[in-house]
Amino acid sequence: MHETTLILLFVVATAVAIAARRLKIPYTVALVAAGLLLGGLHVPEPIHLTKELLFALFLPGLLFEAAFHIEFEDFWRDRVAILGLAVPGVVAAIALTTIVLEPAAQGLGLAAEFTWQHALVFSALIAATDPIAVVALFKSLGAPRRLGMLVEGESLLNDGTSIVFFTLILGLVGGNNLSLGGLVFDFARIVGGGAVIGGVVGIGVSQVIRSVDDPMIEITLTTIAAYGSFVAAEQLGYSGVIATVAAGMLCGNYGARTGMSPSTRVAAETFWEYIAFALNSLVFLLIGLEVRLDTLWGSLPIILVAYFSVTIGRALVIFGASGLLHLARSRVPRQWNLVLTWGGLRGALSMVLVLGLPTSFEHRELMITITFGVVVLSILVQGLTMAPLLRALGIVGAQETRLAYELARGQLQAASAALTEIDNLKNSRLASPPVLDAVTTHYQGFVQNAEKRIEELHLEREQLRDEELHETRRHLLMVEKERVIEARHRGTMSQETQDRLLADIDARLLRLESGEDAD
C-alpha cells in the first residue's frame, strides 16, 4: 500500500506546485497545508516520518544539494557570521528559549511539573532551522545574495550542531555524568570528525570525477558522496550532517568545476535540483500528514507560549550577534535582522528528533504536540508573511516589476549573443552578407526594444537600477580578483602584494554584499 501512497503524494505535490505558482505563495508552505488537509480527511495510508527515514533518504540528499550549489568564496567571506550563528548562536538560542519557556509555562499553569530540564530538551530539539521556503522566496524575489547565503549557510551547519547538542543534552538530562569540558570535547569530536570524513569523501570523489568523462558515472559519484559520507560518519559516531555538507561543498566547488565538462555540470545540477524538489515535496507533505489539528488545537495555549519563546530566543541571538558583528568586518545590515529572525523556520528535523525521544521520557506526548505545533506555525505564519516583510523593509521590490525587468534583461542578453554570433558568421563566411544584414536588423530591433524597456523600468523603480549597479560592481570586483591571481601565477607579482590586493578586494566585496558602497 505504501507504493500507492507514494504515487498519490507525487500527484498531490505536482498539483500543489502548479497551484502555488499561480497563487504566488511559497511552494513548501502550500505542501504543508495540503498535507494537513489530507491528514484531516484521512485520504492516504500514512507513511510515518521517522528518524530512520529522514536520515536514510531525505537529509543527505537535501543537505548535499544545498551545499553543492553554495559558492565557497561567498561562504568563506561570511564564515564568522555563519559559524557564529551555527555554534555559539545555537547554544545561546537553546539557553534563551529555556529561560523564557520554563517560567512562562509554569506561571500560566499550562503544563504541570514542566521543569527546566523539559524546557532544555525542547529548546535543543527545536533549535535546527529549515529555511527551504525562505531561501526559495529570496531567489524568486531577487533578495541580496549575501542574505540568502547567511540564512542557508547557517541552516546547513546548525542542522548538524543542533543534533549534536540535542544528543548531549538528552544524555545530560538522563543522568549521564558529563562535565562542561566533557561536553565541549564531545561536541568538537563529533563535529570535527564529521568534517574530516566529509572532506576525505569529497576530495576522493572529486579526484575520481576528474579522471573519468562519463556524465552518468560522474553524477552517480556525487550521489555516493552525498549518502556515503553521511552513512560513514554516522557509523563511526560522528556527525553525518556535517560530513555531507563538507562533501557537497567540495564536490560542487572542486570536483564539478575542475573535473566536469560544462554539459556534465549542467546535467548534475539538474539532477540534484530534481532530487531536492522530490525530497522536499515528500517531506513537507509528510509533515502535514503527521500532524493532527484536533490535538494541536487542544494544546494551543502551550504551543503559542513555546512558539513565542522560540521566536524571542532567536531574535535575541540575531540582534545580539548583529551587534557584535557590526564591530567586525562581517557586519550585517541592521534591516536584515528582522528577516534573519523571521526566516528561522522549523521543519522535519525537529519533528523526528522529538519522535525519537524514549517512551519513558516524562511529558513525551506533550513535547511531541508542542514541537509539531511550533513547526506548523513557523512554516505557515512565517512562510506566508516573509514576502510582505521583505517588501516592507525595502529589501525587494514588487514581483511583477521584477519579472518584467528580468524578462527585458533576458531578451537583451539573448539578442546580444545572437549579434555576436552574426559577427562570427561574417568573419567565417558561413552566410552571405545580404542574409546576415537582414537578421542583424531583426536582432538590433530586439536590442533597442529591450534597452528601452529596461530604461523605463529603471525610472519606475530606482531599486532595479541600484541592483544592476550592484551586480556590475560585483562582476568587476571578481574580474579584479581573477587578474590579481593570474598575475601571481605568471610570476609578475609577489605573494605579499597579492595578499594585500586580495584583502582589499575582499573587503570591498563584503561592503558591497552588505549593502554599502564598494568604493
Side-chain angles (χ1 to χ4, degrees), residues 95-321:
L96 290 168
T97 303
T98 303
I99 291 170
V100 175
L101 177 60
E102 191 271 335
Q106 289 283 4
L108 296 173
L110 298 175
E113 299 180 1
F114 192 83
T115 65
W116 67 267
Q117 289 97 333
H118 301 108
L120 183 63
V121 171
F122 169 78
S123 301
L125 65 87
I126 206 69
T129 58
D130 188 359
I132 294 168
V134 173
V135 172
L137 197 63
F138 284 174
K139 293 177 181 177
S140 66
L141 295 177
R145 285 166 52 101
R146 187 185 178 213
L147 180 58
M149 170 56 66
L150 288 172
V151 173
E152 191 166 22
E154 177 211 353
S155 175
L156 281 174
L157 295 185
N158 81 10
D159 278 356
T161 57
S162 297
I163 293 172
V164 176
F165 283 128
F166 170 73
T167 303
L168 295 176
I169 287 172
L170 191 60
L172 182 65
V173 171
N176 291 350
N177 187 18
L178 293 173
S179 63
L180 179 60
L183 289 172
V184 172
F185 174 78
D186 284 345
F187 174 82
R189 177 183 60 82
I190 295 170
V191 172
V196 170
I197 291 173
V200 170
V201 172
I203 292 173
V205 167
S206 296
Q207 290 294 340
V208 178
I209 287 174
R210 295 183 66 185
S211 66
V212 299
D213 187 20
D214 187 313
M216 295 300 102
I217 294 176
E218 292 173 64
I219 292 172
T220 303
L221 285 168
T222 62
T223 309
I224 293 172
Y227 289 87
S229 59
F230 191 95
V231 171
E234 289 289 325
Q235 289 293 325
L236 294 173
Y238 301 118
S239 172
V241 171
I242 299 298
T244 301
V245 170
M249 292 185 69
L250 282 166
C251 288
N253 288 273
Y254 174 56
R257 291 185 180 181
T258 62
M260 291 183 179
S261 65
S263 59
T264 300
R265 184 166 184 178
V266 170
E269 290 179 350
T270 302
F271 169 79
W272 280 107
E273 285 174 3
Y274 171 72
I275 292 297
F277 168 79
L279 296 181
N280 277 323
S281 299
L282 291 176
V283 78
F284 279 94
L285 278 174
L286 292 178
I287 287 175
L289 286 170
E290 201 73 40
V291 173
R292 291 293 173 261
L293 289 176
D294 53 347
T295 303
L296 298 188
W297 185 256
S299 302
L300 186 60
I302 185 64
I303 290 173
L304 290 175
V305 168
Y307 175 72
F308 285 118
S309 299
V310 171
T311 306
I312 291 170
R314 179 165 177 83
L316 291 173
V317 168
I318 295 296
F319 280 86

Side-chain angles (χ1 to χ4, degrees), residues 75-86 88 325 328-330:
F75 180 89
W76 186 252
R77 194 163 54 244
D78 273 314
R79 63 190 181 280
V80 175
I82 292 172
L83 291 172
L85 291 173
L325 292 171
R329 291 179 63 251
S330 299

Side-chain angles (χ1 to χ4, degrees), residues 468-484 505-506 508-509 512-513 518-519:
E468 187 174 324
L469 178 62
H470 175 279
E471 289 301 319
T472 302
R473 283 179 169 174
R474 187 180 190 281
H475 173 74
L476 294 175
L477 286 169
M478 296 305 295
V479 170
E480 285 187 44
K481 195 168 185 176
E482 290 175 6
R483 295 299 179 268
V484 169
I505 295 170
D506 284 339
R508 286 188 285 156
L509 273 169
L512 182 67
E513 297 295 349
D519 295 332

